[in-house]
Amino acid sequence: MKLDKSGIQNIWRAIVKRISPIEISGGLVVSDAALRYVRFNERDTVEARASLRLPPGAVVQGKINNHAVVSAALHELRERIGIPSSRGAGVILSLDSGAVYSQLFNLPQLEESSLAEAAELNIQMVSPIDTKTSYHSYQVVGKSENGTGGYELLGAFIGMPVVDDWISACKTAGFLPIAVEFQALSIARAVSEFADIGLQEIALVLDVSSEGMDLVVVKNGNLYFDYFYPWKLIQGEDKSISMDKFKQILIAETGKVMNFTLSKFGGETKSIWINAENIGAEMITALKMQYSSVPVSEITVQEKRVPPLWLSALGAGKRGMLLRSEDDLISLSPRRVVTEYMEHQMVTMIKLWRNVFAITLSFFLLVFCIGDLFLRQIRLSAGQQSFRNLSPEESRELSVLRGKADEFNALVSFVAEAKAEENKVYPFISKIINLGNNVQITRLSFQGITEPVVLNGNAPSADAVVQFQRRLAETPNITDLQFPLSSLTTAPNGRTAFVMSFRITNLDF
């Protein structure tokens, strides 16, 4: 029988997906008009897609005006997707570009360990809003072209209330945002992945929605510049915009961005790409008449079978396929959200393997019980035959059977006692981890309630270790804390490593 390799791979993926609590995160795009969700599967095809229109006024310019309405809409969206309540619903939350400020800046050649510190300092300098009341982040988008070997970085900034309101609404509806970006970033990722755009060239993507027109400059497959033009600037009291007026704005704003690109990035725009529903042909005709030397095309992602309005959701969903340890892209979210996500995954994993252990233990317990009943029957049969004189060979056989029966009985008793004395180690481990803000626990040796616990870890400094030791000593149920100062060493990454030992009186943490 010849085995189909692809069939075996599909079976293996199904098994892994069944036993693994970690799901691929979806992309959730929120705007004034609608919510859109896309999730890919392991084969890079769209596994789930759903959208929901929002009532007018519930969200205005990317900001939530009616929290109850938005939370209810998100809850209905989750039901449409069909994610079970037992599974996590992590999402890459993509906000309206009009609510986000972005800025490209350069850094000289630096050691990788110094890049984050230098980038943080530059972000605070170029930020158009107060960094104390905003979330900000950055990502490396390329290398400097001036021959210095430096970095080109894109920084992004947004007011805290906007993000906090969306995260709160998502969590109320059962979604957990593990990263927060903006639609221009999602669009740049989508066109780089799914559209035939030259990655080394400077391309201008025009994304038209009901809120406005997003002019996105893409280079090296990354977002370099974003300019959002809301319709309210020209709409006024009118409910619609004439096609002639729209074309005037289209030509004027496209020219501004192309001139800015030429002066800022030192290169001409090599192509223009349109992502618009119903008016793509008119936009292409108008732009070709104005810029005859620049190719103008409409973005198509036929293999994904989604209309133009879903382009940003595809980009956000594509990021959801990344492992969290590999995601170094812009995320405009508070650090506590990432911590909650990791805790959620840890608890889910513990629950899964606790169930696996319980099922396995129950199976062996059943086997032992059946064996015990079988041996009891043998003992009863042997007891009934004890009224006659046994031969030496029969006596030896009976002795062996009695020994085996006692052994099985002892094993059954041991398993029953282990089940009855099952302790809850997770609260203890969680308590130890939460005691240190910047302390990393690298090893925790716990042999039992009567044995000392040995803890290895590292911290940014010796003072941080001492503070951690004090908090540990003040924790109830922890006694006999030993902290030899000779255990303090400097790790290769510059952090201070340490070793402590202590005893615990009970596991009621």
Side-chain angles (χ1 to χ4, degrees), residues 380-429:
L380 289 175
S381 299
Q384 292 174 357
Q385 297 176 8
S386 62
F387 294 101
R388 66 178 179 84
N389 295 327
L390 299 177
S391 65
E393 182 178 352
E394 290 175 334
S395 297
R396 286 193 298 271
E397 183 179 355
L398 179 60
S399 178
V400 171
L401 290 176
R402 285 177 177 174
K404 289 182 178 181
D406 292 339
E407 182 180 354
F408 269 92
N409 289 335
L411 288 174
V412 171
S413 299
F414 174 76
V415 172
E417 291 176 1
K419 180 64 179 177
E421 297 179 2
E422 179 183 14
N423 54 44
K424 299 179 180 179
V425 180
Y426 171 72
F428 161 62
I429 297 176

Side-chain angles (χ1 to χ4, degrees), residues 237-313:
E237 298 296 331
D238 298 332
K239 294 184 178 180
S240 61
I241 301 173
S242 66
M243 181 56 67
D244 291 338
K245 196 170 186 180
F246 169 74
K247 289 181 179 179
Q248 292 176 6
I249 295 298
L250 173 67
I251 299 300
E253 298 305 319
T254 301
K256 290 178 184 179
V257 173
M258 292 176 67
N259 291 334
F260 174 81
T261 301
L262 180 62
S263 61
K264 180 70 174 179
F265 308 130
E268 295 183 352
T269 302
K270 298 297 183 181
S271 59
I272 300 176
W273 297 83
I274 307 299
N275 184 60
E277 202 165 35
N278 302 325
I279 60 172
E282 289 86 347
M283 293 177 65
I284 291 175
T285 301
L287 290 171
K288 282 185 175 180
M289 291 180 60
Q290 184 70 20
Y291 307 105
S292 57
S293 61
V294 181
V296 183
S297 306
E298 193 165 5
I299 295 175
T300 57
V301 284
Q302 295 298 333
E303 65 275 12
K304 301 304 175 186
R305 298 180 180 179
V306 294
L309 290 175
W310 288 82
L311 187 64
S312 56

Side-chain angles (χ1 to χ4, degrees), residues 35 63 81 96 117 124 139 180 206 240 304 329 384 387 420-421 488 492 496 505:
L35 308 172
K63 302 176 182 178
I81 298 166
D96 194 327
E117 183 178 354
Q124 295 183 12
Q139 69 182 46
V180 179
L206 305 179
S240 61
K304 301 304 175 186
L329 306 177
Q384 292 174 357
F387 294 101
E421 297 179 2
L488 292 176
T496 300
T505 58

Side-chain angles (χ1 to χ4, degrees), residues 203-223:
L204 175 60
V205 179
L206 305 179
D207 181 69
V208 179
S209 64
S210 59
E211 289 81 26
M213 180 169 59
D214 209 354
L215 296 92
V216 180
V217 176
V218 179
K219 181 183 176 185
N220 301 325
N222 290 305
L223 173 66

Side-chain angles (χ1 to χ4, degrees), residues 416-473:
E417 291 176 1
K419 180 64 179 177
E421 297 179 2
E422 179 183 14
N423 54 44
K424 299 179 180 179
V425 180
Y426 171 72
F428 161 62
I429 297 176
S430 178
K431 182 69 174 181
I432 298 301
I433 292 175
N434 291 334
L435 285 177
N437 295 330
N438 295 320
V439 175
Q440 295 180 352
I441 307 302
T442 58
R443 181 173 179 270
L444 187 65
S445 176
F446 175 69
Q447 302 296 328
I449 196 71
T450 60
E451 299 295 328
V453 180
V454 179
L455 184 149
N456 297 66
N458 60 74
S461 63
D463 291 339
V465 177
V466 173
Q467 293 177 6
F468 175 68
Q469 180 263 340
R470 291 175 180 172
R471 289 193 293 270
L472 197 61

